[in-house]
């Protein structure tokens, strides 16, 4: 840029404003010299506007860190699993990757009371369950001399890491042992679709599964009733065993504890650790379900005792049981096992 | 009526070449200027025919015509103002008979102290340089104050002044038209607002252009209108700006 000559009209810190002979006002870099004052005619160059890379880089770094941090935080705090806890109060908790509770809501009045007394958002799952059960004991939802049933249901979203069923049962056991309470703990797993349907129905996933199984068994019960009543009372009134019912898997994932399997009896001595049924191996097409330790250990008799048979996950084959006189399939007592495609999905 | 600076310079050149008519015209044209300088020194209203200071000032102006040298790069009116002030100051001191030995007049110093002509010239050169620098600075400060009445700053002018020569020439033409039109200029001074509609009609420049160059037009119109006060600035601008605007 060519040098500009002009009369100084204003002096700033590093620049000056000059009036050029052709009537232009220009800003020039202040030349060296002590006797600069307004009125002096100088020749100089416009100030070079340096592009300030350093602040720009700092700003970009800060933005990058903030953005990355926010993304990481969002990733870490996103709900990856839901756990519902049903006693009579029903509470549903959303867990993040670190198994911290990110959201919690009471699904009935009792659930709201529990959450009001024990705020669990931001608390690890273990602490949250401990707080909720302590409040449940204090509010007499769980009583020492009564028959207590706790139904916990785990729903994992999009193949995210889910809380271990055994660990979850330990989390529930520990506060109960401290309080010396008898309790039947049933832990089940539900598919995300079931959770969605349960949320639409205003129920916990556990209660929704229970409702489905009761209705399929022909028990007359409404969603309002199942949401209102406690687990123990439902067992008494409907003459059912929740542990047994939940053993009839619809999704084929997880295994509910049989009645009496998880029972903590208060005694003067330290209570023995609760015996927990390990989760079942996911159903493979063409194989019957077995335990983790011995996948080949099938239970055909138990399955065949149910006249309706039991269903595999949608889209897979289903095992049907028909009572026939012949014994070509090798089944016992004249019953025949055979596989066929699921009617519902048509696959 | 404002006499353009270049008219003064033209008459000055002819007067210095011995044109009596031009000298008379120049002296007549500069009588208000002499009166303003004299009133500034005397701190009172002075009137032709009554106050001797005006006569002394007019004689000093005539002397300035003879002594002015363009090579000094000092505007003639600024130079003449220095001479007029000097002579009137001498007259007032003689009249009051106070501090006659401390006179600021270089001529008197020469007469009374007996310094040589060369020393006197050197002292005069220094005095002239010092005084012109001071006056120039004061003039710019006065101009800045005048602009401040219109909420205009030099930094703002540097930002908004048209950079293209043609665009600048158009706005300078508008500024000169505004300064030359007494009514429009009075409206500007009274309302502190540029009469854009009238100026647009008068100059044929689109009102959007006038609005964009509002601050620049006002600044240059003020300078042009008060060119007798801002002699240094006007003198500096004269060759490129105001002539180019025509």
């Amino acid at each position: 840029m060519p040098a500009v000559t002009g009369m100084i009209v204003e002096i700033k810190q590093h620049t000056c404003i000059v009036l050029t002979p052709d009537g232009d006002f220009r800003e020039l870099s202040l030349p060296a010299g002590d006797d600069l004052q307004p009125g002096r005619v100088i020749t100089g160059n416009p100030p070079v506007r340096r592009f300030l890379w350093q602040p720009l880089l700092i700003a970009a770094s800060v933005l990058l860190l903030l953005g990355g941090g926010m993304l990481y935080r969002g990733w870490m705090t996103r709900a990856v699993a839901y756990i519902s806890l049903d006693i009579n109060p029903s509470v549903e908790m959303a867990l993040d990757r670190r198994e911290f509770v990110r959201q919690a809501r009471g699904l009935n009045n009792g659930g709201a009371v529990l959450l009001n007394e024990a705020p669990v958002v931001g608390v690890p799952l273990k602490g949250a369950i401990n707080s909720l059960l302590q409040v449940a004991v204090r509010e007499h939802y769980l009583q020492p001399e009564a028959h207590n049933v706790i139904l916990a249901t785990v729903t994992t979203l999009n193949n995210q890491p889910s809380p271990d069923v055994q660990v979850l049962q330990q989390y529930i056991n520990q506060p109960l042992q401290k309080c010396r309470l008898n309790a039947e703990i049933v832990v089940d797993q539900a598919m995300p679709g079931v959770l969605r349907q349960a949320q639409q129905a205003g129920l916990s996933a556990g209660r929704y599964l229970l409702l489905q199984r009761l209705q399929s068994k022909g028990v007359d019960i409404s969603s309002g009733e199942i949401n209102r009543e406690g687990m123990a009372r439902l067992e008494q009134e409907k003459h059912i065993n929740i542990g047994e019912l939940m053993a009839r898997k619809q999704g084929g994932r997880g295994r509910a504890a049989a009645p009496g399997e998880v029972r903590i009896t208060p005694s003067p001595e330290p209570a023995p650790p609760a015996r927990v049924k390990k989760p079942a191996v996911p159903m493979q097409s063409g194989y019957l379900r077995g335990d983790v330790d011995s996948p080949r250990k099938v239970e055909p008799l138990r399955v065949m005792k149910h006249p309706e048979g039991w269903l595999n996950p949608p889209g897979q084959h289903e095992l049907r049981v028909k009572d026939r006189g012949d014994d070509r399939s090798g089944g016992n007592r004249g019953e025949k096992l055979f596989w066929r495609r699921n009617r519902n999905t048509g696959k | 009526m404002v006499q353009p600076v270049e008219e003064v310079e033209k008459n000055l050149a002819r007067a210095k070449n011995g044109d009596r008519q031009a000298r008379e015209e120049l002296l007549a044209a500069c009588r208000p200027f002499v009166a303003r300088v004299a009133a500034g020194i005397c701190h009172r209203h002075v009137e032709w025919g009554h106050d001797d200071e005006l006569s002394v000032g007019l004689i000093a102006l005539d002397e300035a015509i003879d002594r002015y040298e363009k090579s000094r790069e000092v505007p003639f009116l600024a130079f003449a103002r220095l001479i007029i002030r000097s002579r009137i100051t001498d007259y007032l001191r003689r009249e009051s008979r106070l501090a006659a030995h401390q006179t600021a007049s270089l001529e008197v110093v020469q007469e009374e102290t007996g310094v040589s002509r060369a020393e006197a010239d050197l002292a005069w050169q220094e005095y002239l340089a010092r005084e012109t620098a001071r006056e120039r600075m004061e003039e710019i400060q006065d101009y800045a104050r005048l602009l401040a009445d219109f909420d205009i700053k030099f930094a703002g002018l540097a930002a908004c002044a048209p950079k293209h020569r043609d665009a600048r020439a158009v706005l300078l033409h508008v500024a000169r038209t505004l300064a030359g039109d007494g009514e429009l200029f009075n409206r500007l001074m009274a309302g502190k607002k540029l009469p854009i509609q009238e100026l647009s009609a008068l100059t044929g420049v689109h009102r959007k252009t006038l609005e964009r160059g509002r601050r620049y037009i006002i600044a240059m119109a003020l300078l042009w209108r008060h060119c007798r006060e801002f002699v240094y600035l006007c003198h500096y601008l004269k060759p490129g700006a105001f002539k180019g605007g025509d």
Side-chain angles (χ1 to χ4, degrees):
Chain A
M1 189 169 282
V4 178
T5 300
M7 182 189 289
I8 298 174
V9 291
E10 186 178 331
I11 295 176
K12 296 182 174 181
Q13 193 174 2
H14 301 295
T15 60
C16 61
I17 310 291
V18 298
L19 175 64
T20 65
D22 53 353
D24 193 7
F25 288 89
R26 303 287 292 270
E27 186 169 7
L28 302 181
S29 295
L30 211 54
D34 301 335
D35 54 346
L36 292 174
Q37 61 180 14
R40 172 92 186 274
V41 177
I42 62 163
T43 300
N45 290 306
V48 179
R49 301 286 181 198
R50 286 184 184 175
F51 194 73
L52 303 175
W53 283 105
Q54 211 169 3
L56 191 72
L57 282 176
I58 291 170
S61 305
V62 168
L63 280 177
L64 202 65
L65 282 174
L66 282 176
M70 287 173 74
L71 278 176
Y72 179 72
R73 185 178 164 78
W75 183 77
M76 284 299 289
T77 57
R78 195 173 57 190
V80 296
Y82 285 84
I83 287 183
S84 66
L85 209 58
D86 299 299
I87 309 169
N88 179 16
S90 284
V91 173
E92 186 180 83
M93 295 177 285
L95 301 183
D96 63 14
R97 286 172 195 280
R98 298 177 301 160
E99 293 192 1
F100 274 64
V101 178
R102 284 295 144 205
Q103 289 175 352
R105 62 183 187 126
L107 298 168
N108 53 18
N109 291 337
V113 169
L114 283 193
L115 288 178
N116 196 30
E117 295 287 322
V120 294
V121 176
V123 176
L125 177 62
K126 184 180 179 182
I129 288 176
N130 188 28
S131 304
L132 289 173
L133 290 179
Q134 280 183 3
V135 175
V137 171
R138 197 166 66 230
E139 297 290 329
H140 305 296
Y141 290 116
L142 294 169
Q143 296 177 355
E145 300 303 325
H147 174 57
N148 301 308
V149 179
I150 299 172
L151 172 60
T153 312
V154 181
T155 306
T156 307
L157 303 178
N158 303 327
N159 298 322
Q160 302 285 347
S162 65
D164 187 71
V165 174
Q166 274 187 298
V167 173
L168 179 59
Q169 273 188 316
Q170 284 174 9
Y171 288 168
I172 300 172
N173 271 340
Q174 286 168 0
L176 293 178
Q177 281 180 336
K178 282 181 189 171
C179 300
R180 299 179 181 284
L181 272 170
N182 283 330
E184 181 184 341
I185 303 168
V186 181
V187 180
D188 197 3
Q189 289 186 318
M191 303 292 282
V194 173
L195 177 67
R196 274 196 300 275
Q197 291 168 0
Q199 285 174 340
Q200 284 170 3
L203 297 173
S204 68
R207 284 185 196 263
Y208 186 74
L209 280 178
L210 190 60
L211 177 68
Q212 280 189 327
R213 285 165 199 180
L214 284 172
Q215 285 177 342
S216 68
K217 201 181 174 188
V219 177
D220 183 25
I221 188 166
S222 66
S223 62
E225 190 179 0
I226 204 164
N227 195 30
R228 195 170 53 245
E229 299 297 343
M231 294 293 108
R233 192 165 177 182
L234 275 174
E235 280 193 344
Q236 288 169 1
E237 286 188 354
K238 302 295 178 185
H239 306 294
I240 55 168
N241 188 304
I242 291 176
E244 238 177 23
L245 269 175
M246 300 307 278
R248 295 177 59 241
K249 298 277 102 177
Q250 187 172 21
R253 300 179 62 190
R255 165 91 187 261
E261 283 181 337
V262 181
R263 186 174 291 276
I264 301 155
T265 309
S267 63
E269 293 82 27
R275 191 161 63 87
V276 178
K277 275 286 185 182
K278 291 176 180 175
V281 171
M283 188 66 184
Q284 298 294 319
S285 177
Y287 289 93
L288 291 179
R289 178 175 50 119
D291 281 347
V292 173
D293 296 333
S294 55
R296 301 297 299 172
K297 182 183 171 186
V298 295
E299 300 169 327
L301 287 177
R302 185 175 171 183
V303 173
M304 285 187 290
K305 278 180 186 175
H306 295 283
E308 302 90 355
W310 54 279
L311 300 175
N312 281 322
Q316 293 189 12
H317 291 83
E318 58 183 357
L319 177 66
R320 303 294 296 179
V321 179
K322 281 199 175 178
D323 192 2
R324 288 194 178 175
D326 55 0
D327 195 15
R328 285 180 297 176
S329 65
N332 294 329
R333 290 195 294 264
E335 293 173 342
K336 183 184 178 184
L337 290 171
F338 67 96
W339 295 99
R340 73 173 190 186
R341 289 186 182 276
N342 193 328
R343 277 187 210 154
N344 298 330
T345 60
K347 290 180 181 176
Chain B
M1 180 63 191
V2 180
Q3 187 184 28
V5 174
E6 55 264 40
E7 287 294 318
V8 174
E9 301 277 330
K10 200 185 293 178
N11 280 336
L12 173 67
R14 285 167 52 204
K16 279 186 78 72
N17 289 335
D19 188 339
R20 292 294 306 173
Q21 180 66 24
R23 181 178 290 256
E24 291 300 325
E25 283 176 9
L26 182 57
L27 290 172
C30 290
R31 280 162 71 101
F33 173 74
V34 172
R36 196 162 52 247
V37 174
I41 295 169
C42 299
H43 301 290
R44 60 181 170 83
H45 177 70
V46 287
E47 203 171 328
W48 292 101
H50 289 89
D51 295 299
D52 291 342
E53 288 87 348
L54 289 175
S55 303
V56 173
L58 203 59
I59 292 165
L61 180 64
D62 188 55
E63 180 191 344
I65 292 171
D66 292 330
R67 293 183 63 175
Y68 179 70
E69 292 173 20
K70 203 170 184 178
S71 59
R72 283 176 176 158
E73 294 187 349
V74 176
F76 168 71
L77 290 178
F79 179 77
R81 188 166 56 198
L82 284 173
I83 300 282
I84 293 167
R85 278 181 182 165
S86 176
R87 295 292 173 261
I88 293 177
T89 304
D90 289 346
Y91 169 77
L92 291 174
R93 283 177 178 165
R94 277 198 206 99
E95 284 295 300
S96 61
R97 297 181 181 279
L98 289 173
H101 61 286
Q102 295 176 355
T103 179
S105 165
L106 294 171
E107 193 172 322
V108 173
V109 168
Q110 183 189 359
E111 287 171 359
E112 296 186 357
T113 59
V115 293
S116 68
R117 183 78 188 174
E119 287 173 330
D121 281 347
L122 192 62
W124 170 249
Q125 300 277 352
E126 288 176 1
Y127 171 77
L128 188 65
R130 194 172 60 246
E131 282 299 298
T132 51
R134 185 186 58 79
E135 284 191 344
R136 198 179 279 132
M137 193 164 68
E138 286 177 0
E139 191 178 294
I140 289 169
Q141 287 168 353
D142 290 343
Y143 184 46
R145 274 193 289 273
L146 188 61
L147 290 176
D149 291 342
F150 293 84
D151 201 21
I152 297 172
K153 293 178 179 174
F154 288 127
L157 285 172
C160 76
K163 299 297 169 228
H164 197 272
R165 188 185 301 168
D166 294 343
R168 197 162 53 242
V170 169
L171 296 191
L172 282 170
H173 170 64
V174 174
R176 186 167 183 167
T177 307
L178 175 63
D181 190 313
E183 189 186 338
L184 284 183
F185 191 82
N186 288 339
R187 282 177 58 185
L188 169 72
M189 295 302 288
K192 309 291 182 196
K193 198 174 171 184
L194 195 66
I196 288 178
Q197 206 166 353
E198 293 80 354
L199 271 178
S200 180
L202 208 61
T203 59
V205 179
H206 197 275
R207 57 178 301 149
K208 286 280 180 191
T209 310
L210 299 180
E211 281 169 4
R212 274 197 298 271
R214 183 189 69 84
R215 283 185 290 180
Y216 184 74
I217 293 170
I218 292 174
M220 299 315 285
L222 289 172
L223 196 58
W224 181 250
R225 181 77 180 188
H226 299 98
C227 63
R228 292 299 163 85
E229 284 84 15
F230 305 128
V231 286
Y232 291 99
L233 287 169
C234 288
H235 179 263
Y236 187 70
L237 278 178
K238 183 185 58 173
F242 291 129
K243 278 183 180 174
D246 286 333

